[in-house]
Amino acid sequence: QVQLVESGGGLVQAGGSLRLSCAASGFTLDYYAIGWFRQAPGKEREGVSCISFSDGDTYYADSVKDRFTISRDNAKNTVYLQMNSLTPEDTAVYYCAADRTWTVQGLCVMNEAHHWGQGTQVTVSS
């Protein structure tokens, strides 16, 4: 069964950090672009950061540059999102997604993918 499973969300105070994980099962992430997306209440889903699983090429939305870091562990078939200096504006449901068609930037910008996870809630209190 093909699955992407997110974990690591939770409640954190402003200025704090969280690390999200996205583990793939039923398929290998080789040759995929994988991304983290988020959707806040009343807002559209947006691409936060994306990575090429094969060469590690990355893309970040301007709103998270210098605060978030995306990485991957090829052996574990897992992608991570390290989130630092969190603000209440980062509160959202975070989803990971994977697609073999898009480039890294294309995945994040076009906000479309073949595989999606169920999401994990991140809440940042002020």
Side-chain angles (χ1 to χ4, degrees):
Q1 183 180 3
V2 173
Q3 276 190 313
L4 292 173
V5 179
E6 303 97 334
S7 61
L11 173 63
V12 64
Q13 288 188 333
S17 299
L18 284 173
R19 189 176 84 151
L20 305 182
S21 300
C22 172
S25 61
F27 71 111
T28 177
L29 291 174
D30 292 349
Y31 310 114
Y32 275 81
I34 303 95
W36 286 98
F37 300 79
R38 66 186 181 186
Q39 187 165 22
K43 294 187 177 181
E44 293 187 353
R45 188 176 63 203
E46 62 171 342
V48 173
S49 182
C50 294
I51 188 168
S52 166
F53 207 75
S54 58
D55 63 16
D57 187 27
T58 58
Y59 171 88
Y60 294 93
D62 288 343
S63 59
V64 304
K65 278 181 182 176
D66 301 322
R67 298 191 300 124
F68 290 10
T69 303
I70 192 169
S71 61
R72 89 279 195 207
D73 186 324
N74 297 66
K76 294 183 178 180
N77 214 30
T78 299
V79 172
Y80 304 97
L81 186 68
Q82 177 67 42
M83 305 186 295
N84 298 328
S85 302
L86 286 162
T87 74
E89 288 68 38
D90 295 314
T91 295
V93 178
Y94 283 70
Y95 301 89
C96 71
D99 197 278
R100 292 186 65 167
T101 303
W102 296 113
T103 63
V104 170
Q105 181 172 349
L107 176 61
C108 264
V109 171
M110 297 306 294
N111 207 344
E112 295 178 359
H114 189 68
H115 302 294
W116 288 90
Q118 293 300 306
T120 186
Q121 177 70 46
V122 171
T123 303
V124 184
S125 62
S126 57

